[in-house]
Amino acid sequence: ARIAGELQRNKPAVLVIELGSNDGLRGLPLAQVLGLAAFGRGVDGHAVSLGVRDVAQAGAVDPARVAVGGDSAGGNIAAVIAQELRDQLAHQVLIYPVMDLSTFDTQSHSDFSDGYYLTRRRLNYFYDSYAGAADRTDIRMSPGRNGDPAGLPPATVITGELDPLVSEVSDYVGRMLNAGNAVSSIEFKGQVHPFVQMGGIISDALIARTIIG
């Protein structure tokens, strides 16, 4: 797979990807291909999923090679899209995705709540800004709570050892594997939440990008 372009530093992103393409701009920011200025509060994962399907059907990308990918909040949306379009996508790339906005009751949230870049205080602010008064247990907002992980697109999952989100992501990886999905999951030791965006100063970011494609 080849992804044209770069994730913007310190800005979560979602990409619509055409696998196996060597020409043109095939790693397209989802907001761009759907004609959105930006994602606001309470993005409806179902509406985004339908938009991705329509983009593929319109011929913007080859429908047989459509994948989605994202990091952080973008990974959350990518996971929702993969669940909604599980039989219509070739792959999903989840880079330390937010999988459950409804709870901090995990080992990594306890261990890394402060002092590891993505603090509990910042997470509370981000979750409140994104979710507002919406039901945070809804699987379109917390895809890690989806009880049906069978039949999902093959997944590449990137995490950092010192990320407060790593436990919920690891749990989701385990459930995808137990349901018979193809999953490649790599946890980078000693790394914090946004490391993949920091290729200029963190060598593991370059390795992660190579793994992603």
Side-chain angles (χ1 to χ4, degrees), residues 19-90:
L19 300 178
S21 174
N22 292 311
D23 58 356
L25 184 60
R26 294 300 189 179
L28 300 173
L30 186 58
Q32 175 183 325
V33 298
L34 298 185
L36 303 177
F39 290 114
R41 172 176 292 182
V43 172
D44 187 330
H46 182 69
V48 173
S49 299
L50 295 178
V52 173
R53 183 200 62 187
D54 292 344
V55 167
Q57 291 178 346
V61 290
D62 182 348
R65 299 191 301 185
V66 173
V68 291
D71 73 308
S72 194
N76 170 282
I77 298 171
V80 171
I81 294 170
Q83 291 176 2
E84 294 276 348
L85 301 182
R86 64 184 68 201
D87 59 345
Q88 300 177 53
L89 295 175

Side-chain angles (χ1 to χ4, degrees), residues 92-212:
Q92 56 178 318
V93 179
L94 307 178
I95 305 169
Y96 33 71
V98 178
M99 297 306 298
D100 192 346
L101 279 75
S102 70
T103 182
F104 292 120
D105 188 20
T106 70
Q107 189 63 53
S108 59
H109 273 302
S110 175
D111 291 345
F112 310 125
S113 63
D114 193 29
Y116 296 90
Y117 188 85
L118 185 60
T119 64
R120 178 73 56 82
R121 180 180 178 183
R122 296 180 76 180
L123 278 172
N124 274 317
Y125 172 77
F126 294 147
Y127 289 7
D128 288 346
S129 298
Y130 178 71
D135 178 8
R136 301 186 188 191
T137 66
D138 189 316
I139 61 174
R140 293 173 298 172
M141 188 161 286
S142 294
R145 301 183 67 86
N146 193 324
D148 180 20
L152 292 171
T156 299
V157 184
I158 303 293
T159 55
E161 178 188 19
L162 307 181
D163 186 344
L165 304 179
V166 69
S167 291
E168 63 198 66
V169 179
S170 297
D171 176 74
Y172 188 62
V173 166
R175 291 193 294 111
M176 284 197 292
L177 286 170
N178 289 337
N181 298 290
V183 182
S184 296
S185 180
I186 304 94
E187 179 182 299
F188 284 80
K189 299 301 181 183
Q191 294 301 345
V192 294
H193 180 75
F195 80 95
V196 175
Q197 300 173 352
M198 300 181 178
I201 57 175
I202 298 178
S203 60
D204 277 351
L206 303 178
I207 296 171
R209 294 182 184 196
T210 300
I211 292 169
I212 293 166

Side-chain angles (χ1 to χ4, degrees), residues 2 10 153:
R2 176 178 174 271
N10 295 325

